[in-house]
Amino acid sequence: MAAARKRTLSGFEDVIDGKTKTFKESGEKIHIAALILARGGSKGIPLKNIKVLAGVPLIGWVLRAAVDSKQFDSVWVSTDHDDIEKVAKAWGAQVHRRSPEVSKDSSSSLDTIQEFTRLNPEMNVICHIQATSPCLHPFHLKEALELITKQGFTSVFAVARQHHFRWQEVKKGGSVATKPLNIDPSNRPRRQDWDGELCENGSFYIHTKATIEEGLQGGKWAYYEMLPEYSVDIDVDIDWPVAEQRVLRFGYFGLDKPEVVRLLLCNISGCLTDGRVLISISGEEMISVNTRDTTGIRMLQREGVEVILISSSEDLTKALADKLSQRTGCEVRQLGKDIQGEAKAMMDDRDLDWKEVAYMGNDAPDVDCLNLAGLSAVPRDAPVVAINAAKYCCRNVAGLGAVREFSEHILLLKKKAKSQMEQDRIHRNTF
């Protein structure tokens, strides 16, 4: 019996006595890359790809899912804009600076993807993830990729099931009657009696290199069905508030479990206050604290989260620190230059780990703590270096509700996690 094996991008082909049989990759290493296209010239929403959605730059949601999926040999953002490049790198991606030829309004996704594969010939499979799909989870990517790596498909795309009755469009002024496209009007089905239709939801498209060279979605096709609640696509500003509510409920918030947060370390200057110190004619120093922020602190305290307000000795006199402690019911700590070391000492006193700590900072000295904390945030007006290190960027500025907003975010995630834990308990008891 004559036998030979040749490798293809969709798997192996074993030729036995002239007959071809297709096999899985059988463990041989291939390079799988995630690619997010993020041009700076969005016409619908300027710099949409890095606009903050529920505290995270829009592109950050899909980058977090891609990186945490651990399915990719490399994760890339293709862009022509410096600010998008900075955000992409802060969220763990490598950057492909696309050429002017594929950065025009008329340029297609295919043009950019083909340029990327030409410049990176070692990549066998490209997963094109849409930046405008913030409810993507790592398990979606893992399961979809297995259709290529384990089942030999060459093109996989995400779909969602819709139950919409469609009718033929009639142009204005036309005299032709419309007609149904997918129903019999005399026998309209109930929703529960109709499976609906599968429609692309735009979350991701996965292709082997060969199908990209041929023009995408070629060869052996397969779809990956996502539940409707995960199918969010943002094109215009009116989508933003709807998407934000959906993301807070169904988005992916990372590998860390925020429900264990037991301590919030919050900077006074530049977070709880706007950073200004008012000096009276007699030399008395004053600061302004918003009641929305103090209410947020009390909300956390009622839920068992300890709040410690931190400040440098230069920012706050002892008299002001004592008054603020009395007003908020929080311990006020005046720290030196080693903020991370002193924060760690406070955690050790309470037998806490970084994953159990939320941190709110506002500038370069806070970057290490922002990176280490299980949850971290900055006000909207914080410098870029702090924004890139934080896991949440508030819509509100310092001294005007940013602390209240972050407090609500912490409590929302705790509530979401508690609900999931209860659901897991129900599932375990059921089976």
Side-chain angles (χ1 to χ4, degrees), residues 350-390:
R350 294 160 176 79
D351 196 24
L352 298 177
D353 200 344
W354 277 109
K355 68 180 181 180
E356 301 170 290
V357 175
Y359 187 94
M360 190 166 193
N362 71 310
D363 214 330
D366 300 306
V367 165
D368 288 341
C369 292
L370 290 169
N371 280 318
L372 289 168
L375 277 178
S376 60
V378 294
R380 190 185 72 195
D381 54 345
V384 172
V385 65
I387 291 174
N388 286 341

Side-chain angles (χ1 to χ4, degrees), residues 59-74:
I59 198 172
W61 289 99
V62 294
L63 283 173
R64 177 158 55 193
V67 171
D68 286 358
S69 73
K70 304 187 187 307
Q71 299 299 302
F72 301 104
D73 298 291
S74 57

Side-chain angles (χ1 to χ4, degrees), residues 261-279:
V261 167
R262 298 174 186 172
L263 172 66
L264 169 63
L265 299 176
C266 178
N267 270 272
I268 297 171
S269 180
C271 290
L272 183 60
T273 75
D274 61 7
R276 293 184 298 171
V277 176
L278 307 177
I279 304 175

